[in-house]
Amino acid sequence: MLSCKQVATIASDYLDKSTPLKWQIRLHLLMCANCRRFVRHMKITRELSKQMVLNKTADDVDTIWNKVQQQIKQDSQSD
Ligand SMILES: [Zn+2]
């Protein structure tokens, strides 16, 4: 069983689907709400920044950060 710290360390590999520990992470996420939230927020952040790059608006860090925070706020309200 992975610890929360281990999950946090490899969460970005998990989102890249480049870790052999995928199933162990999924198992941990089933049982751990904290890590579930952490991975979800990391995913939102990554998706938004990817969109920003595609839209060539990545130069405005404040805009990106505001969107990330909005998204996370909405997300935690729906919890
Ligand atoms: Zn955890």
Side-chain angles (χ1 to χ4, degrees), residues 55-68:
N55 296 332
K56 298 197 195 316
T57 51
D59 48 339
D60 192 349
V61 175
D62 284 341
T63 309
I64 298 173
W65 184 236
N66 284 337
K67 289 209 174 184
V68 168

Side-chain angles (χ1 to χ4, degrees), residues 13-28:
D13 291 341
Y14 170 69
L15 292 174
D16 285 335
K17 300 177 176 56
S18 65
T19 172
L21 298 173
K22 186 174 87 178
W23 292 106
Q24 292 183 57
I25 296 179
R26 293 196 98 147
L27 190 68
H28 183 103

